[in-house]
Amino acid sequence: MKPEEYPGNTQYMRYEYHRVREGPNYFVSYYKYSSRLIYDPKDTWRTLGTAKFTDTGKSLKEWCLLMDDTYGVPQRMKWGARGAESEARSGRKDTSFASEALEEDNPCLNTKMVT
């Protein structure tokens, strides 16, 4: 899809929001001769460093949050409805060596000293 461009782009500072069909949406920033692919809108704003407190930085933050609220939240709700993702977040039961010690209230009560 065509990227949404930040209205205050200049030759040395350029920000774009990319909407995709599969996977999460993302921001691309070109600032100080480097480019970054960023998923979080606040991290996009933080690429400005100390310039984030200027008027341009504040408007960039508003634009990033607007893009994320408009396109990112519905996409995360759609992806969050799946069972596989919720299972991945909860994790699986630990069956490694000495995992039963994690289940006990006080694992030190069931130990003996060998002399």
Side-chain angles (χ1 to χ4, degrees):
M1 298 186 92
K2 185 177 178 182
E4 302 281 335
E5 294 188 4
Y6 171 62
N9 284 340
T10 63
Q11 182 180 0
Y12 301 106
M13 179 191 84
R14 183 174 185 82
Y15 290 89
E16 299 173 349
Y17 184 72
H18 293 259
R19 296 169 46 199
V20 293
R21 291 183 188 171
E22 297 178 2
N25 296 336
Y26 58 91
F27 292 93
V28 176
S29 68
Y30 306 100
Y31 184 66
K32 287 190 176 179
Y33 304 109
S34 70
S35 63
R36 296 179 188 176
L37 184 133
I38 305 167
Y39 295 105
D40 186 28
K42 290 186 181 177
D43 285 340
T44 305
W45 173 63
R46 290 179 185 136
T47 58
L48 292 175
T50 56
K52 65 185 173 188
F53 300 110
T54 62
D55 293 335
T56 305
K58 291 175 185 176
S59 69
L60 176 66
K61 180 181 180 182
E62 291 173 11
W63 178 79
C64 290
L65 294 175
L66 175 71
M67 290 290 116
D68 188 57
D69 289 341
T70 306
Y71 304 113
V73 173
Q75 186 189 38
R76 282 192 295 273
M77 289 174 60
K78 179 181 80 172
W79 284 87
R82 294 190 175 174
E85 186 172 314
S86 62
E87 180 182 326
R89 286 185 180 161
S90 64
R92 65 169 204 234
K93 188 175 185 280
D94 184 18
T95 57
S96 63
F97 177 74
S99 61
E100 65 275 357
L102 297 173
E103 297 173 0
E104 297 177 5
D105 292 333
N106 189 354
C108 296
L109 293 176
N110 195 15
T111 60
K112 295 180 182 175
M113 187 170 86
V114 179
T115 57

